[in-house]
Amino acid sequence: MKNAGAWMACALMAFALVMGWQALTLRYYTKFGPGSGFMPVWSSVLLFLLSAAYLWESLRRDVIRFRDILPEGKTLWRNVTILLAVLVFILIVPYTGFVAAGIVLLLAVFLFDFKWYAGLALSVTIILIFFYLFRTLLKVPLPVNALGW
Amino acid sequence: MDSFVQLLQGFATAGTWENLLYCTIGVTIGMLVGVLPGLGPTTVTALLLPLTFGLDPIPAIIMLAGIYYGSMYGGTITTVLINTPGEAASVITALDGYPMAKQGRAGTALGVAAIGSFVGGTLSVVGLAFVAPPLARLALEFGPAEFFALIVLGLSLIVGLMGKSLIRGLIAALFGFILSLIGQDPITGSLRWTFGQPHLMGGLDFVTIAIGMFGLSEILIAFEQKTEAGAKIAAKIKGLLPRREEWRPTIMSILRGTGIGFLIGLIPGSNTVIPNILSYTVEKRLAKDPPRFGKGAIEGVAGPETANNAYCGSALIPLFTLGIPSSPTIAILFGAFIMHGLTPGPTLMQTDADLVWAIIASMFIGNLILLIMNLPLAGMWARIALIPPRYLYPVVLIICIIGAYTVSNSLWDVGVMLVFGIIGYLFRKLDIPLAPVVLTFILGNLMETSMMQALIGFQGNFLGFFQRPISGTLLAVSILIIALSVYSNIRNRRNLLGGDAEE
C-alpha cells in the first residue's frame, strides 16, 4: 500500500485498459491497410504490458515508497495549496477576472513565507505588473471580468 | 558558395534592429535560465512560446533559439562561482571549475569557458550552415517509409539514452505517443479518445503539456528543495586568460570539444550532458597527468563547456533538415515553427530559406552578445542565482498560467496544464523520464501518418519497410539499439549517460 511505484504502475495499467477498450470501438483495418484503431490498440496493449512489467519491477527490484519521495509537513501543504490555488483560480477567474483571481492565487502561495500584509502587497504588485506587461504592452489576451480587469 | 550568399542574406535579416533586439532578449533570458538553478531551457522556452503569438515568425524563433543556446553560457557562471550548476549541462564543469575558483582562478575558468563556448557555438553554427543544405536535399528523396524509419530510429535512441530504467523510458515514450493520438485521425478523419469532449477534438496541445510537465512540476519540486542559505561567491573575478603554458592544452581541448559536441548533436535523442561527459573523459584520458582532474584542471573546464555549446548548433541540423527534434528544448522550438505556420523538415530550407538563414545568422550574433555579456558581468549574473525560490517561483506560476491560457484563450488549457503538472511531478519523483513523453508526443502524429501512407503504398504489407534499403537499414539499426538497451538493462549497467537531462 505504501509502494508509490506500484500505485503508479496500477494507474498506468488502468489508463491503458480504458484507452484500449475505447480503441476497440475504432476500425482496426480497412481495405487500404490499418485503420484509425490500429495504432491506438497496439499502443494501449504495449503500455499495459510495460506497466505490468513496471509493477513487477516496483515490487521486486526497485521499491520506492511514498515517504521516500513525497515531502512532509509545511512543504507538503505548500504543494497541495499551490495545486488547489490553481484550481480555485480556474473556477473563479470567469467571474472575478485575472487581477482578483491572480491576487488570491499568489497570496495563497506567499502566506507560507510572509506575513499576510507583506504577502498581499507582493501579490498585488506582481499581478498589476504582469497585467500591465502582458495585456497592455504585449497585447496578450488574459481572462478578464466585465470591467476589463 | 550558395550557402555563403544565403548566410550573408541571413545576416542582413538578423541584423535589423527588431531582430537584434529579440536576439538580445532571448540570450539574456537564456543567461538568466542558465544562472537560476532549477529553471531549465525547456521549461522557459515552453513558458514563453505562447507569448510569441503576436510576433512575426523570424523574431519569435530567433528569441526562442537565443534562450536555448544562451542557457548554456549562464550555467557555467554559477557552477564556477558558487558551485551550483544552473542547468544539467554544467554539472561536469563543477568538477574543475569550482576548484579553480577556490584557487583564486575564477576569472580564468570563466574566461576559458566563455571563449570555448564562443568558439564551439560559432564553429557548430558554421557546420550547421554548410551541412544542413545538402542533408535537406538528400532528405527530399525520402518517402513516408524512410521518414517512419527515421522517426523510429530517433525514438529508439531517446529511449535508449534517457532514464535509469528501460521499462520506465518505454512507458514514458508510449504515454506521450498515446496522448498524440487523441483527436482526429490524420488519415481517415475519425475521432479517437475524445470521450465526447469538444476540446479534445483537435487533440491535446503540446505547449500546454510541456508547461505542465516541465513548468508546474518544477515549481512543486523547487519548493521542496532547501535553498542554499549562505551560498557565497567563491572569489573575485580577475585575470580572464590562461597562463602562457596553458594556452596550447586549452586550445586543443576547445577544438576536441567542438568536434565531440558537433557530432553528438547530430544524433537524435542525445542531450547536452552526453557531449560534456564524453569531452571530460577524453580530456582526462589524453592528459599527461590525469590526477590533476577534479582539482582545477583547465582542460576539464574548456573541453566540456565547448562541447555543450557546439552541441546546441548541430542539434538544430536534424530539425531543419529532417523535421525531427533531437531533444525536448528542440521539440519546443519545433512547436514554435508549427505555431507560426512553418513545417520543419527538408522543404523548410526551400520554402522558408530566409527564416532558416536568419536564425543561423542570429546564432553567430547571439554568441557574440553572450561573450560580451559573460566576461565583464559574471559577478552580477552569479548574484542573480541567489534569489530565493519563495520570490521566484510564484512569479513562474503566474507565467505558467498565462502561457497555458494563451494557447487557445481558454481555461480548459489551464486545467490541462494543472493535470499534466501533477503527472509530471509524479513521473519525476518516480524516475520516469519526461523527455520521451514530449518527444513521442510531438513525433507521434508524424510517425503514424508516414507509417499509414507507407502501408497504403505497400498494400498493408509490413515487410515493405524492410524491402527498401534506407528504411530497412534504419529500422534494423533501431532494433539493434533497443536490443542493446534491453541487454544493458538486464545486466543492470545503464550508466551515467542514462540520466534524464531536460535539455
Side-chain angles (χ1 to χ4, degrees):
Chain A
M1 287 298 283
K2 294 173 182 173
N3 188 326
W7 277 102
M8 176 57 84
C10 290
L12 286 165
M13 284 164 78
F15 174 75
L17 269 179
V18 172
M19 299 307 251
W21 184 257
Q22 281 284 319
L24 289 175
T25 61
L26 300 164
R27 286 192 72 184
Y28 182 77
Y29 220 81
T30 67
K31 63 179 177 180
F32 301 110
S36 58
F38 180 82
M39 285 295 219
V41 167
W42 278 105
S43 48
S44 306
V45 168
L46 279 175
L47 183 63
F48 185 83
L49 294 175
L50 281 167
S51 305
Y54 177 34
L55 181 63
W56 178 85
E57 187 182 72
S58 307
L59 294 172
R60 293 291 178 91
R61 278 174 55 186
D62 191 7
V63 179
I64 301 174
R65 296 184 195 285
F66 280 112
R67 67 161 183 250
D68 301 330
I69 56 166
L70 289 182
E72 291 173 344
K74 182 184 167 185
T75 314
L76 176 67
W77 277 110
R78 189 207 301 261
N79 278 357
V80 173
T81 305
I82 289 171
L83 297 174
L84 286 176
V86 177
L87 190 63
V88 169
F89 176 91
I90 295 169
L91 295 174
I92 66 171
V93 76
Y95 310 103
T96 63
F98 176 79
V99 172
I103 290 170
V104 171
L105 170 83
L106 283 187
L107 185 59
V109 182
F110 278 133
L111 281 180
F112 281 89
D113 295 302
F114 299 93
K115 300 268 189 218
W116 71 266
Y117 47 85
L120 183 64
L122 271 171
S123 308
V124 171
T125 311
I126 290 171
I127 285 297
L128 289 179
I129 290 171
F130 270 73
F131 188 75
Y132 177 73
L133 180 70
F134 285 101
R135 189 162 162 88
T136 312
L137 281 185
L138 296 171
K139 311 281 182 216
V140 171
L142 295 175
V144 288
N145 58 20
L147 300 171
W149 46 271
Chain B
M1 196 60 196
D2 268 2
S3 294
F4 186 69
V5 173
Q6 286 175 307
L7 184 60
L8 288 181
Q9 286 169 345
F11 271 108
T13 312
T16 62
W17 283 111
E18 187 197 11
N19 290 336
L20 278 178
L21 174 69
Y22 283 105
C23 182
T24 310
I25 293 172
V27 295
T28 309
I29 295 172
M31 280 288 290
L32 271 173
V33 169
V35 163
L36 292 168
L39 271 185
T42 312
T43 309
V44 176
T45 319
L47 287 178
L48 296 184
L49 174 57
L51 308 182
T52 63
F53 270 134
L55 296 177
D56 287 334
I58 293 178
I61 294 171
I62 282 177
M63 187 177 87
L64 293 171
I67 296 172
Y68 171 54
Y69 58 85
S71 65
M72 298 298 141
Y73 278 77
T76 315
I77 294 176
T78 49
T79 306
V80 170
L81 293 181
I82 55 175
N83 201 24
T84 307
E87 31 79 40
S90 297
V91 174
I92 288 291
T93 311
L95 297 178
D96 282 287
Y98 189 62
M100 278 183 79
K102 286 205 289 191
Q103 292 161 15
R105 303 193 67 205
T108 311
L110 289 173
V112 163
I115 293 165
S117 299
F118 177 72
V119 173
T122 308
L123 288 181
S124 82
V125 177
V126 173
L128 167 65
F130 291 96
V131 171
L135 200 59
R137 279 193 291 275
L138 179 73
L140 279 173
E141 308 291 319
F142 281 16
E146 284 74 22
F147 265 107
F148 169 72
L150 199 63
I151 295 168
V152 172
L153 176 67
L155 292 180
S156 66
L157 283 163
I158 292 157
V159 173
L161 289 172
M162 290 196 179
K164 289 169 190 153
S165 151
L166 180 66
I167 292 173
R168 277 173 268 181
L170 286 169
I171 284 176
L174 266 173
F175 183 70
F177 184 67
I178 286 177
L179 296 178
S180 78
L181 298 178
I182 293 173
Q184 228 171 22
D185 169 17
I187 301 287
T188 64
S190 54
L191 293 176
R192 301 187 290 203
W193 290 329
T194 55
F195 301 97
Q197 173 58 254
H199 285 291
L200 287 175
M201 284 165 70
L204 289 167
D205 194 277
F206 171 71
V207 177
T208 322
I209 291 179
I211 292 176
M213 289 199 118
F214 289 104
L216 186 56
S217 74
E218 183 58 54
I219 293 168
L220 299 176
I221 286 175
F223 274 126
E224 290 176 14
Q225 290 160 350
K226 297 226 166 28
T227 46
E228 284 215 24
K232 283 186 183 155
I233 296 171
K236 288 202 169 173
I237 301 154
K238 53 185 179 186
L240 296 167
L241 298 176
R243 296 176 192 131
R244 186 186 290 178
E245 68 274 15
E246 287 174 335
W247 269 108
R248 191 181 145 75
T250 304
I251 290 169
M252 294 311 288
S253 301
I254 287 174
L255 292 178
R256 282 190 291 267
T258 304
I260 291 169
F262 187 81
L263 290 176
I264 300 292
L266 295 173
I267 303 170
S270 53
N271 61 51
T272 46
V273 180
I274 297 169
N276 275 27
I277 294 171
L278 277 182
S279 169
Y280 191 82
T281 312
V282 167
E283 293 309 322
K284 199 172 174 182
R285 287 243 170 101
L286 293 177
K288 285 178 188 160
D289 44 355
R292 274 190 308 118
F293 281 74
K295 294 173 190 163
I298 200 162
E299 302 97 309
V301 175
E305 279 302 316
T306 307
N308 69 35
N309 283 273
Y311 168 91
C312 282
S314 64
L316 290 173
I317 293 176
L319 179 74
F320 286 162
T321 58
L322 306 169
I324 293 180
S326 52
S327 70
T329 316
I330 302 274
I332 291 172
L333 282 180
F334 183 104
F337 276 88
I338 301 288
M339 202 181 82
H340 286 281
L342 306 160
T343 311
T347 53
L348 185 73
M349 308 263 329
Q350 294 183 333
T351 54
D352 293 287
D354 52 337
L355 173 114
V356 174
W357 290 104
I359 294 168
I360 293 172
S362 80
M363 290 176 74
F364 280 105
I365 298 168
N367 271 299
L368 193 63
I369 295 171
L370 283 164
L371 185 69
I372 296 165
M373 282 204 303
N374 246 266
L375 296 181
L377 303 175
M380 182 204 81
W381 290 111
R383 279 187 194 92
I384 290 171
L386 304 177
I387 295 174
R390 65 176 192 271
Y391 290 106
L392 179 67
Y393 285 98
V395 173
V396 177
L397 179 64
I398 282 291
I399 298 175
C400 282
I401 290 173
I402 295 174
Y405 179 80
T406 320
V407 168
S408 60
N409 297 340
S410 158
L411 289 167
W412 162 265
D413 287 304
V414 184
V416 172
M417 186 260 313
L418 177 63
V419 170
F420 280 96
I422 297 169
I423 294 172
Y425 173 79
L426 293 173
F427 273 23
R428 290 169 77 159
K429 288 283 180 175
L430 290 165
D431 278 334
I432 299 175
L434 299 185
V437 179
V438 290
L439 285 164
T440 49
F441 180 81
I442 207 145
L443 288 173
N445 260 321
L446 188 61
M447 183 168 129
E448 190 192 18
T449 309
S450 50
M451 191 193 87
M452 293 300 189
Q453 285 171 343
L455 279 174
I456 290 170
F458 300 148
Q459 295 173 323
N461 179 14
F462 279 92
L463 288 177
F465 287 107
F466 291 93
Q467 287 161 355
R468 292 170 68 105
I470 297 176
S471 65
T473 310
L474 293 175
L475 285 175
V477 173
S478 311
I479 292 167
L480 187 70
I481 289 167
I482 291 173
L484 284 174
S485 297
V486 172
Y487 176 74
S488 91
N489 197 52
I490 291 168
R491 294 282 302 267
N492 203 17
R493 284 192 183 170
R494 294 179 70 76
N495 56 21
L496 194 58
L497 303 186
D500 181 21
E502 199 196 317
E503 298 77 24

